[in-house]
Amino acid sequence: MAGSHRGTWRAALTGALAGSLVVLLGACGVVSTEDDRREAEKLAEKHFPGQLKAIGARTLFPGSGGSEVSFAVTDDRDAAVRLRIDADAGTCDREGCAGVLADAVQRGRTQAEEYRTLKGAFDACGYEVIALGPTGTPPHVVAELTNATVAKRLREIGDCVQRWVTASGADSELGRAKATFVQVVSPEVAERREKGEDSWPTALRLTRSELLASLTKHTYFSVSYDIEGGRVDTTGNARIVRPFRERQKFGDTVQNAVKEQLRATYPRVVMADYQWIWRLEPGRVDRQTGYVLFCPGPDARGRCVNSDDAVLVTTDEHGNPVGKGRIVHDVREGTGALRLPPGLP
């Protein structure tokens, strides 16, 4: 009985100490972040008086130390400024804070201008930009893609991209690009997204990790548009992007089906884990084409490594092959990079 009490006491003491450690570490993190925020606010008032308003801070631990402090720009509701500061070290991004802050302000204002150019282009052709990638691209728009609508919708979005490229100018990063992307989410997913607060700066609100996570945890379409000399191929090339579990299920279905087809020619066939990018067939959302890698036989460990053979296969939306796949040989440079043909009939 006494031993039982001693064990209970030890467990309670261990729990209390562990809890105290968690509180202490948490408190240290809060104090550090508050110190960083106060220092950032002092810097903002000194170098940009009345122009910046701190709206949040997050610790960078266990990264490089310090915090990232976010500011709204008082005369530009679209702009956000992010400053990585370590008050203890007296540095920002390990450099002098005055110059880093000035660069961050200029970057924030430039990104806001770029966003307005993007928004104007997409608004003009009827597609609202509801989110942006962490660096300000790619834009996320809303559309219901079906076999009956996919070609029309992709061309409409491509027209938006052309407006965006033209408005950005030939000397812009986009104007010099060879391609760009647009992410397309369904109206149902868009309606349930984590929208954030309207009072937040647009650049911050539309790039928040919570917003992007609420969109990308569901299946969506990623559309690439080729650009040459400022002219956009508005046809677009679309692929489906699935959440991890759905992607694994799709891949397993394809590989198992292709393996069965290959057994007649290669009785000891082994499939590789690699999954190529699956692209939608033109005018279809229920047909996708991609490569599956295989080895005619296993290596000494029973695996397929550095495969030099592949099958180009078209599947339905669940990964079931539609028709017979096409075998393609010599798809790898020695044991190095793959050189899969970009598209075969």
Side-chain angles (χ1 to χ4, degrees):
M1 191 69 165
S4 175
H5 282 304
R6 282 194 295 271
T8 302
W9 180 83
R10 290 193 195 97
L13 179 59
T14 301
L17 290 172
S20 297
L21 181 59
V22 169
V23 171
L24 179 59
L25 290 175
C28 288
V30 170
V31 169
S32 177
T33 300
E34 289 179 350
D35 288 345
D36 290 335
R37 175 168 176 160
R38 280 193 292 268
E39 187 60 28
E41 289 177 314
K42 290 178 183 177
L43 285 165
E45 190 56 32
K46 177 180 179 180
H47 297 286
F48 295 91
Q51 298 180 49
L52 303 178
K53 178 183 178 182
I55 55 175
R58 66 181 183 90
T59 181
L60 296 175
F61 180 84
S64 58
S67 308
E68 181 180 82
V69 180
S70 299
F71 295 90
V73 179
T74 55
D75 63 351
D76 188 341
R77 70 180 309 273
D78 293 325
V81 174
R82 297 176 175 89
L83 178 69
R84 291 195 167 195
I85 182 170
D86 187 339
D88 288 340
T91 60
C92 295
D93 269 347
R94 300 180 181 179
E95 298 181 12
C97 284
V100 172
L101 177 59
D103 289 344
V105 171
Q106 182 58 51
R107 184 165 54 251
R109 289 189 179 277
T110 299
Q111 289 173 344
E113 286 294 338
E114 291 173 347
Y115 162 73
R116 285 189 283 269
T117 300
L118 166 64
K119 181 179 186 299
F122 278 78
D123 282 352
C125 56
Y127 283 87
E128 178 189 4
V129 176
I130 64 168
L132 299 167
T135 61
T137 57
H140 294 62
V141 301
V142 184
E144 190 70 65
L145 302 186
T146 66
N147 285 348
T149 66
V150 60
K152 180 174 183 288
R153 295 286 181 262
L154 294 191
R155 190 170 291 280
E156 289 173 348
I157 295 170
D159 289 338
C160 298
V161 174
Q162 181 64 74
R163 289 174 180 265
W164 179 25
V165 171
T166 301
S168 297
D171 293 333
S172 68
E173 184 177 346
L174 179 64
R176 297 190 300 270
K178 299 298 183 183
T180 193
F181 291 85
V182 178
Q183 317 291 43
V184 182
V185 302
S186 71
E188 181 182 5
V189 170
E191 182 62 28
R192 299 200 306 265
R193 71 187 185 276
E194 178 63 48
K195 297 180 181 180
E197 300 293 335
D198 289 339
S199 61
W200 295 343
T202 308
L204 181 63
R205 178 167 50 84
L206 295 189
T207 60
R208 292 170 56 248
S209 58
E210 294 86 351
L211 167 61
L212 296 174
S214 72
L215 296 174
T216 58
K217 71 180 180 181
H218 304 282
T219 296
Y220 63 96
F221 296 89
S222 182
V223 189
S224 65
Y225 292 94
D226 292 332
I227 306 171
E228 184 174 352
R231 302 304 304 171
V232 176
D233 180 354
T234 58
T235 304
N237 292 297
R239 65 185 180 94
I240 294 180
V241 183
R242 298 177 175 83
F244 177 76
R245 292 186 183 279
E246 292 182 24
R247 185 168 67 250
Q248 290 296 105
K249 183 177 180 181
F250 176 90
D252 289 345
T253 300
V254 176
Q255 289 182 337
N256 290 335
V258 171
K259 184 176 183 179
E260 288 304 311
Q261 291 182 1
L262 290 170
R263 282 188 189 279
T265 306
Y266 305 105
R268 302 178 65 237
V269 65
V270 179
M271 309 307 294
D273 293 334
Y274 174 83
Q275 286 193 41
W276 194 64
I277 295 174
W278 292 84
R279 299 194 181 280
L280 294 181
E281 288 289 286
R284 303 289 293 265
V285 295
D286 60 348
R287 294 290 184 270
Q288 301 157 82
T289 298
Y291 285 98
V292 177
L293 300 183
F294 73 94
C295 295
D299 63 11
R301 297 185 178 182
R303 303 175 304 173
C304 177
V305 179
N306 294 327
S307 169
D308 201 27
D309 301 285
V311 177
L312 182 67
V313 59
T314 298
T315 77
D316 64 16
E317 61 268 41
H318 304 296
N320 300 302
V322 178
K324 192 172 180 62
R326 175 176 174 177
I327 297 177
V328 183
H329 300 291
D330 302 322
V331 299
R332 191 182 297 275
E333 298 176 2
T335 59
L338 287 167
R339 52 184 183 188
L340 295 166
L344 295 173

